[in-house]
Amino acid sequence: MDRRDFLKGLGLTVTASGLGALLAACNANEQQSGQAIAVSSGGTLYVLYDLTSQRLDPAKSSSLAITMSGLIHRRLTAWQTPANGPATVVPDLATDIGRASADGRTWTYTLKDGLKLSDGTPITSAEIKYGIERSFDAAFSGGLGYHKTLLDGGSTYRGPFSGGELASIETPDPKTIVFHLARSYGDWPWIVSMPAFAPVPKGKGTDANYDSGPVTSGPYQVASYTKGVEIRLTRNPNWDPHTDLARTGLPDTIVVQLGQDTGVTAQRLLASAGNDAYAFGAAFVNPAQLAQIRTNPAAKNQLVTSKSGALAYLALNTRRGPLANVKVRQAFQYAVDKTAYQIATAGNAELAGPVATTLITEGITGREVFDLYPAPPGGDVAKARQLLAEAGYPNGIENLDFPVSTANNKADLAQAIQAALQRAGIQAKLRPLDDDAWTAIATGNDDNAYDLTLSTWQPDFPSANANIQPLFGTSEIGNGGYNLSRYSVSEVDTLIAQAQGTVDPAAAGKLWAAADRRILQDSPIVPLIYTRNSFLHGAKVGDFAIGEFPAYPNFLQVGLAK
């Protein structure tokens, strides 16, 4: 999913450049570790959001498994996000991560014993099935929807209120749920960790009010929700920590303060006065706040920075004009100045994030490190001009249309790209657009709407599948899809299908790595950097850490010092 929409679902927003900052005296790894704080059960944790609302209905949520939705809703599986290794999928409500049929099209789950919802309703396969079916109803749409096309018959199903039950979800007994997929899909264990797989009691969630007071299965229940002001979570008396591998459930209460100014939030957290010592910010720290952080050595232990993050990239429209020529597109790999992009992002290379050379992001199982277009970070202008000449453009290329969203500093970043391209004789004309207008053009059906554009991508789940298929599958061209380069190669589509249908993660990883290399041979995008994210927390907040993937803190593990 494109990160702007995705961050709205998380309650995380990009401020200024939208990227993290590092302290002058510390590198990213030191900041990630921070100061060890002994945490204990109890207390009130405060979460400071700049958004004025949150999606609490699991059908409407696009929240990652480790963020706020996971505090109140359990799913069949969950994520563990270690600091020094890839994220892994673990059982949550289920006893294992799923048992696949030989062809990878049928997945069976058994529920753990003694599970209950916050209202005392036993969690059975019926509550899981109903919760999933609700997500198909148009009135409760908006959440992550991978399952809607993967489940057999899902493409035409319209939900339980008008379409009856979905036959491809079977519940032979209260503890067993069986999914029949339209095709083989090895990443199904990740899909069932998404919000829509949270249990909902039958008869509940029939109107919009459910979004502000859902029945919950996680450590917390919703005590009150005042939109624009506050969400208060208190302990769910029916949550059993012995059945939960993903959540510690340490604070007694969690208070989400909505509509907070991000600049003020940073100042409050650094000061850590009163309740702010027990708070963390859900928005990225922006570089404009670096000066204050650098002059405050004590803040070192309150700033947590990801090692890596979302892929920032330049998309080249493979169906338009000179960019239909692969050598022209390969010239862009050498023409760009990734150092200049880093500086435009956050002031210097270290703050922005490492240079990117692959499509699969760090922290994803099966990722292989390679560089098909080796060049200094500042580019290789001579090589770019050579390739342009070989492609029939010895005098360069003029009048390329470069629409860019004005949101999140994208226009400034695009200027850095524009200047670098000009050195190689590539003239690109920037066309600033508001974010909605840019999205309509970039994801619309007109193949001639632009030549190149700038974007970022953070996978929705920890699999190379979520790196590759949404950006390069033919099915994702137009109609709201994010194949911005309009890239369509049958060999790649075949590789994607093979990898998706492979149940063994190691074997699938090899196929995804092969797809990564094959796509980059055609140069439909220029990988720029893997963007770093930084977050601030109060002085009394502990276990606030960012794993290798995703580049966000794990809300489910946070605790407080006494």
Side-chain angles (χ1 to χ4, degrees), residues 400-433:
L400 293 181
D401 180 33
F402 190 176
V404 62
S405 169
T406 54
N408 304 326
N409 202 41
K410 282 289 198 302
D412 292 340
L413 299 175
Q415 287 178 4
I417 297 293
Q418 180 190 41
L421 295 178
Q422 189 168 354
R423 302 176 309 170
I426 301 171
Q427 307 293 330
K429 184 177 181 180
L430 293 182
R431 181 157 55 109
L433 299 168

Side-chain angles (χ1 to χ4, degrees), residues 338-350:
K338 296 183 182 182
T339 298
Y341 186 86
Q342 290 171 316
I343 292 170
T345 295
N348 64 51
E350 187 182 24

Side-chain angles (χ1 to χ4, degrees), residues 104 107 146 150 181 183-188 191 461 465 500-501:
W107 289 82
Y146 290 88
L150 288 171
L181 309 186
R183 55 191 173 89
S184 302
Y185 198 79
D187 276 332
W188 189 250
I191 302 302
F461 54 99
N465 184 358
Q500 287 184 332

Side-chain angles (χ1 to χ4, degrees), residues 201-536:
K202 279 200 170 184
K204 300 285 187 180
T206 57
D207 57 47
N209 292 331
Y210 195 72
D211 198 32
S212 58
V215 181
T216 67
S217 50
Y220 302 97
Q221 58 188 348
V222 181
S224 62
Y225 183 3
T226 305
K227 289 189 176 180
V229 180
E230 178 185 281
I231 302 171
R232 183 171 292 265
L233 306 179
T234 54
R235 289 198 181 278
N236 169 8
N238 292 311
W239 173 69
D240 181 358
H242 298 99
T243 68
D244 199 327
L245 298 175
R247 303 162 185 83
T248 57
L250 291 175
D252 287 331
T253 305
I254 298 177
V255 176
V256 182
Q257 296 181 356
L258 301 169
Q260 303 298 304
D261 179 273
T262 54
V264 174
T265 292
Q267 295 171 9
R268 287 171 53 186
L269 292 171
L270 289 171
S272 283
N275 290 338
D276 290 339
Y278 303 92
F280 71 83
F284 302 163
V285 178
N286 77 69
Q289 294 156 346
L290 261 182
Q292 182 179 5
I293 296 174
R294 281 176 168 165
T295 59
N296 183 359
K300 163 185 174 180
N301 297 317
Q302 294 174 237
L303 186 73
V304 177
T305 299
S306 65
K307 175 183 176 183
S308 185
L311 173 68
Y313 65 96
L314 179 68
L316 308 175
N317 187 345
T318 60
R319 297 185 174 184
R320 181 170 159 91
L323 295 176
N325 186 315
V326 65
K327 281 199 172 182
V328 169
R329 299 196 302 270
Q330 289 172 341
F332 277 75
Q333 302 285 350
Y334 297 98
V336 296
D337 183 342
K338 296 183 182 182
T339 298
Y341 186 86
Q342 290 171 316
I343 292 170
T345 295
N348 64 51
E350 187 182 24
L351 307 186
V355 164
T357 60
T358 68
L359 308 175
I360 300 173
T361 47
E362 294 185 338
I364 299 290
T365 298
R367 178 177 183 262
E368 294 182 3
V369 179
F370 62 90
D371 187 356
L372 297 185
Y373 306 99
D380 185 338
V381 174
K383 180 68 172 179
R385 287 186 176 274
Q386 174 192 332
L387 286 167
L388 288 175
E390 292 175 4
Y393 297 92
N395 299 318
I397 300 172
E398 296 181 347
N399 298 321
L400 293 181
D401 180 33
F402 190 176
V404 62
S405 169
T406 54
N408 304 326
N409 202 41
K410 282 289 198 302
D412 292 340
L413 299 175
Q415 287 178 4
I417 297 293
Q418 180 190 41
L421 295 178
Q422 189 168 354
R423 302 176 309 170
I426 301 171
Q427 307 293 330
K429 184 177 181 180
L430 293 182
R431 181 157 55 109
L433 299 168
D434 69 63
D435 201 52
D436 288 341
W438 177 88
T439 300
I441 288 173
T443 67
N445 296 328
D446 184 359
D447 289 342
N448 290 304
Y450 58 93
D451 289 303
L452 60 154
T453 194
L454 197 60
S455 191
T456 58
W457 189 262
Q458 174 83 45
D460 290 320
F461 54 99
S463 168
N465 184 358
N467 285 108
I468 301 295
Q469 191 271 339
L471 298 187
F472 304 103
T474 298
S475 63
E476 303 307 304
I477 297 172
N479 299 311
Y482 275 85
N483 185 338
L484 306 185
S485 54
R486 313 270 162 170
Y487 178 75
S488 178
V489 173
S490 59
E491 180 185 349
V492 171
D493 286 334
T494 298
L495 268 174
I496 289 173
Q498 288 175 340
Q500 287 184 332
T502 301
V503 174
D504 177 62
K510 292 184 182 301
L511 290 169
W512 289 120
D516 194 340
R517 287 178 180 272
R518 176 63 185 85
I519 293 165
L520 279 174
Q521 288 174 15
D522 291 333
S523 188
I525 74 166
V526 179
L528 298 170
I529 64 172
Y530 306 115
T531 58
R532 284 189 173 128
N533 300 336
S534 287
F535 299 85
L536 279 170

